[in-house]
Amino acid sequence: MRINNKEFGEWTADDLQVLLSNDAYRENNFIDYKVNFAPLLDKNNKKEKQAEFRNDVCSFANADGGYIFYGIGETSGVASILAGISIPNIDHFELDRRNELQAIRPTVPDVTFSFISLQDDKYIVVLHIQRGLYKPYITEEPEGQFHFYIRHGNKKQAMLSEDIKSFRKERLEEHITEMKKLFALVQLIPATFRSDCVPMYDLYREGKLNFDDLFNGMIYDRAVPNVDGIYFPDYSEQRDFEQLQIFNNGAVELKMDFQIRKQNLRSQQLKTERYLIIFDFEAELRKLIQGTSQMYQKLGRSTAMYVCVTIVGYKGLWNYTVNAYGANTPTKVDRNQIVCTPIEIRNIQDDVQVKEGIENCIRMTKYSLGIRM
């Protein structure tokens, strides 16, 4: 961002006057104003305010980066006063802030500090947060409670809210109760799912959404409405296990199984082992995410989407690898229920982000199964 045709690090107090009452520099995805630095003022809630500071930084790193101006007041999102904050020693201030950021996982985002002098030991402190390379950045506060935040508009919002976690858990418990087989569950859950309602069956009946084209190869009969939205049964029972469900809240869910191959071990010809093969799963995952992206493009809806993969019942099976030697020696699945880390696609309509999300999801699924890459 340039101010008075100057880059970050070159700005002076006079340059910052341009921000005042200037709608072009209103708070948005890339700009945030804070009239003070809360951890210095609220000593009784210092840990809470430090956690909020970390979450603010994470929210920009998890989006497209941006700038936080400490010491600038705002009115309705527009800068209104250069108040400044008192800092006796700017080196100590920056060191303390960088130490506080060390709690961010998996690594500290790229953050640059700039101290713009006003008067009486007061400064405008500007943090330039780069778009992260190791997203999602998370905080763990208190211990055992993980938080994902992303900058959206002029606010930070939870990347993976408790509502989404609850939805995932409820659906998984329902499938575990019904299923007697091993299965994998892939859920694409939009950030807007609690506030959104899309009449999926009506759109299908009116010809506005052609699910056969969107999810080619995953559908074995016509859409059937149910209490959640629509699903696609296979009344021929040729493939009654794989089932696609599309919810009126915009979520998409595919239940399927992995291919399992029996094979004799070379060193023990009399012993037969079962190998888990995920090639078909990878192909279905790609089609599911791409189909969901195309569906949202047709709906004209842009939202962050969370891809959640859960794998149940495969503990003890070997992971099949093409080159089963050296670093690629097969490993076994080490647990009976694998809840993979959700993968965020910030804009489900963006083809580049969708492609990146697919590759991240496949990689995370392989890691979760214990597959070396």
Side-chain angles (χ1 to χ4, degrees), residues 71-273:
I72 297 184
E74 53 82 22
T75 302
S76 300
V78 177
S80 57
I81 184 174
L82 302 182
I85 56 177
S86 297
I87 304 177
N89 187 308
I90 61 175
D91 291 332
H92 289 171
F93 179 93
E94 179 174 349
L95 180 61
D96 288 343
R97 305 294 78 79
R98 291 195 179 280
N99 286 336
E100 290 165 1
L101 294 177
Q102 293 300 314
I104 296 174
R105 297 291 180 268
T107 187
V108 179
D110 187 355
V111 180
T112 306
F113 287 71
S114 178
F115 296 86
I116 301 172
S117 179
L118 297 181
Q119 56 184 358
D120 300 327
D121 292 327
K122 285 190 174 184
Y123 296 85
I124 303 297
V125 182
V126 189
L127 269 63
H128 181 200
I129 302 113
Q130 298 285 348
R131 178 183 178 184
L133 297 176
Y134 302 98
K135 296 184 285 186
Y137 295 91
I138 64 175
T139 57
E140 183 182 5
E141 290 151 328
E143 185 176 354
Q145 294 186 21
F146 294 92
H147 303 279
F148 302 69
Y149 287 95
I150 188 169
R151 183 75 177 177
H152 185 72
N154 65 345
K155 298 178 181 178
K156 66 175 181 287
Q157 68 177 27
M159 291 175 63
L160 188 63
S161 69
E162 292 302 317
D163 283 344
I164 291 178
K165 292 179 184 178
S166 297
F167 176 80
R168 187 180 184 185
K169 182 179 179 180
E170 290 167 7
R171 294 294 300 165
L172 179 60
E173 289 176 349
E174 182 174 336
H175 285 296
I176 289 176
T177 301
E178 293 177 353
M179 295 298 299
K180 303 301 180 185
K181 301 179 181 179
L182 319 180
F183 70 94
L185 192 67
V186 183
Q187 298 161 311
L188 277 69
I189 306 174
T192 55
F193 86 109
R194 282 301 187 199
S195 59
D196 217 353
C197 184
V198 184
M200 292 295 180
Y201 186 70
D202 287 343
L203 293 174
Y204 166 77
R205 187 178 56 182
E206 295 165 4
K208 296 179 180 179
L209 286 178
N210 187 332
F211 295 110
D212 292 313
D213 288 342
L214 294 172
F215 301 99
N216 183 33
M218 297 181 182
I219 295 172
Y220 304 103
D221 212 309
R222 296 179 181 178
V224 177
N226 62 14
V227 67
D228 297 313
I230 56 174
Y231 74 108
F232 303 86
D234 179 18
Y235 292 127
S236 69
E237 297 186 356
Q238 292 179 2
R239 290 187 69 179
D240 61 340
F241 181 73
E242 183 174 312
Q243 182 172 303
L244 180 68
Q245 169 83 41
I246 301 177
F247 295 79
N248 289 333
N249 60 23
V252 177
E253 176 183 278
L254 180 67
K255 178 177 63 179
M256 61 178 296
D257 59 355
F258 289 106
Q259 182 185 355
I260 297 175
R261 177 182 299 171
K262 293 182 179 180
Q263 184 171 325
N264 291 331
L265 294 180
R266 293 180 181 178
S267 59
Q268 304 175 45
Q269 292 298 326
L270 298 179
K271 185 175 180 180
T272 300
E273 292 286 2

Side-chain angles (χ1 to χ4, degrees), residues 311-323:
I311 302 165
V312 177
Y314 292 89
K315 182 178 180 179
L317 271 68
W318 290 95
N319 288 301
Y320 176 82
T321 55
V322 177
N323 299 313

Side-chain angles (χ1 to χ4, degrees), residues 313-348:
Y314 292 89
K315 182 178 180 179
L317 271 68
W318 290 95
N319 288 301
Y320 176 82
T321 55
V322 177
N323 299 313
Y325 60 86
N328 291 321
T329 301
T331 57
K332 282 188 175 181
V333 180
D334 71 340
R335 64 197 65 190
N336 206 45
Q337 186 176 123
I338 298 172
V339 181
C340 298
T341 301
I343 298 299
E344 186 205 32
I345 301 174
R346 288 183 295 112
N347 182 353
I348 192 60

